[in-house]
Amino acid sequence: MVAEFLTIAEAARLIEKKELSPVELVESRLDRIGKYNDRLHAFIRLTADEARAAAKAAETEIAAGKYRGPLHGIPIGLKDIYETVGVPTTGHSKVMQDHVPKADGFAVARLKAAGAISLGKLATHEFAFGGPSFDLPWPPARNPWDTSRFTGGSSSGTGASVAAGLVLGGTGSDTGGSIRGPAAYCGLAGIKPTYGLISRAGILPLAFSLDHAGPMAWTAEDCAIMLQAMAGHDPADPASANRAIPDYRAALNGDVKGLRIGLIRHFYTTDNEASAATRDAIDAAAKTYQGLGCSVREITVSPLAEWAACGVTMMLSEAYAIHQENLRKRFTDYGEIFRDRMALAGLIGAGDYIQAVRRRRELVDELDRAMADLDLVMTAAAPSEAPKIDEVGKFATMERPSLTIAFNVTGSPAMSVCCGHTGDDLPLSFQIVGKRFHDATVLRAAHAYEQATPYRGKRPTL
Amino acid sequence: MTRAELDAAMVRLGLQVPPAEREEIWAAAHYIDNMAALLRKPRPVGAEPLHTPAFPEE
């Protein structure tokens, strides 16, 4: 009998020792999906037959001594903007509901080469932006901690499926917070890596200069395992970094003593006031880091609204350009949330877009200067626990300044880490951010925190 | 932005926005204006945007 919940690392140990077969593991997840997906709507398309075949092939390979590594035989889910050969990749939209890619995107190909087994395509906000929407071909995903609540988005299905143990890890994308938001609301670990670390090729774009691909899983260690497979140079992505990829998993166990953390408290106390529970949980997390031997001092940067204005103006403008033709030709084939956000986006003038990109250079320099004598910064990932799904406004991305888009603006690695639960058992989180290409330091800090606290032991009751 | 200006903008953009949604979009247009106001800071004429292109070298 396979455990209800397993991390990638736990399953990998069992698989490598041949104490667990990928066939058993995949079947156990398909059973869970059969039991819970009707309530959670995490998957919009299952590829069960292909998964079973891949599991059998993995079992045979492993029995023959050809173990590929910690993702071999591990069931994952793919956000339905990740192009997957032969499988409709729809962006959760009527506009692309018949789009069947002829090839896997880079990150998908890398995960498959590492032996990961996709169970299917996961719900997303429409084109990674318009949600939670109830007028799309598939319903929005629901939060396993309380199905009346929002998963966060746009990697909504990934958040739900990992939290509920339907998969052991999943792919997300993050243009303004779409990995970190659902990771926060669903109590996961989710990292938006450094811009360019994971190829964007074969992932439906939202905003070229802000899109980041990344893993979502239960722990920082699992994120490190997935990132190891996904990262790497891809000439097909003009922004793809061409540098050596460190061993992220090996780096987890380095000492965090002496790490210098800057706490951007004003982001979540005055600029976008977080709930008392969130503020208290982050304060406690900062003390945990001090207890681990890190130094934590408060720092001040430009107000959150400035970062949000920069990031959101660019995001809207770039997304509008991508969808411009289809918006003209088939406006009402898009869901109402996406299309109305795009209508607003069309009001942004070219001059203001360029001002945003000029501001971007200023803000990148500002954060680099602020971090000159720091290793990490820390702030909130979300202003509260998950709200009710029907209380998320159409223009929610603009109603309050985003806590996450600042680090898309700067291309910095940024991770959401669960730091407790409310009295209603809803996850709380903080965000840890590193210097560009210091993703290993971010993961190490998150891992150390997880090891020092009990929160990875609490799962939703379904 | 007046309602008439919004309607004109939607025509210019070629977007077939249903009337009920136009009201909501109009009510939200201030978000765009607010962000623009924050971005339109005085800057030196030569202040470069972040993605000034760097062409591949031979």
Side-chain angles (χ1 to χ4, degrees), chain A residues 120-378:
Chain A
K121 307 310 289 293
L122 294 167
T124 166
H125 289 180
E126 190 174 19
F127 293 116
F129 191 46
S133 292
F134 294 85
D135 59 349
L136 302 179
W138 305 273
R142 299 287 182 145
N143 195 317
W145 295 89
D146 175 342
T147 54
S148 71
R149 292 195 185 251
F150 185 32
T151 53
S154 61
S155 309
S156 47
T158 312
S161 60
V162 174
L166 307 188
V167 292
L168 275 57
T171 60
S173 70
D174 193 313
T175 304
S178 293
I179 284 174
R180 290 160 290 161
Y185 286 160
C186 294
L188 314 183
I191 183 167
K192 178 196 74 64
T194 301
Y195 184 76
L197 191 63
I198 298 179
S199 171
R200 296 165 304 129
I203 301 174
L204 302 181
L206 172 58
F208 301 111
S209 76
L210 295 163
D211 286 344
H212 299 63
M216 296 166 68
W218 192 244
T219 63
E221 181 179 23
D222 285 359
C223 284
I225 290 169
M226 288 188 69
L227 183 61
Q228 198 73 50
M230 295 169 78
H233 179 58
D234 179 14
D237 175 355
S240 179
N242 193 358
R243 53 196 290 150
I245 305 297
D247 186 334
Y248 293 115
R249 198 177 181 194
L252 289 175
N253 296 313
D255 200 353
V256 296
K257 192 174 176 183
L259 282 182
R260 303 160 298 171
I261 301 174
L263 180 65
I264 311 178
R265 192 187 291 277
H266 65 86
F267 272 6
Y268 62 93
T269 53
T270 51
D271 299 354
N272 181 354
E273 190 177 356
S275 67
T278 298
R279 296 198 308 268
D280 291 346
I282 297 174
D283 281 346
K287 288 196 172 66
T288 298
Y289 275 121
Q290 287 171 321
L292 290 170
C294 305
S295 65
V296 181
R297 64 177 172 87
E298 202 166 320
I299 64 168
T300 302
V301 293
S302 287
L304 195 61
E306 304 252 353
W307 301 85
C310 174
V312 173
T313 297
M314 290 190 298
M315 177 173 65
L316 288 173
S317 302
E318 293 180 24
Y320 180 80
I322 288 165
H323 291 276
Q324 187 175 33
E325 190 179 341
N326 274 334
L327 286 165
R328 284 173 183 258
K329 288 182 181 167
R330 45 189 310 200
F331 187 77
T332 51
D333 278 351
Y334 289 91
E336 188 174 320
I337 291 180
F338 186 88
R339 67 186 186 232
D340 286 359
R341 290 179 182 180
M342 287 296 99
L344 265 191
L347 300 176
I348 297 171
D352 287 327
Y353 174 77
I354 295 299
Q355 299 306 353
V357 190
R358 292 170 105 187
R359 186 74 183 115
R360 188 176 193 180
R361 183 177 287 282
E362 294 160 5
L363 292 170
V364 167
D365 288 347
E366 179 180 336
L367 187 65
D368 287 352
R369 284 195 305 274
M371 290 187 74
D373 59 349
L374 294 171
D375 299 295
L376 297 159
V377 298
M378 184 175 172

Side-chain angles (χ1 to χ4, degrees), chain A residues 381-451:
Chain A
S384 69
E385 67 276 15
K388 295 283 189 185
I389 193 169
D390 53 8
E391 290 175 5
V392 181
K394 180 183 281 193
F395 301 110
T397 43
M398 288 166 265
E399 286 163 7
R400 293 170 70 171
S402 163
L403 285 159
T404 44
I405 203 167
F407 309 112
N408 299 77
V409 167
T410 62
S412 313
M415 186 157 186
S416 177
V417 181
C418 181
C419 60
H421 301 82
T422 64
D424 295 328
D425 274 352
L426 296 169
L428 299 166
S429 61
F430 67 88
Q431 188 178 189
I432 193 94
V433 182
K435 295 178 181 177
R436 284 181 296 279
F437 298 106
H438 289 252
D439 303 68
T441 305
V442 172
L443 287 161
R444 178 156 50 97
H447 178 70
Y449 178 83
E450 287 174 356
Q451 298 294 299

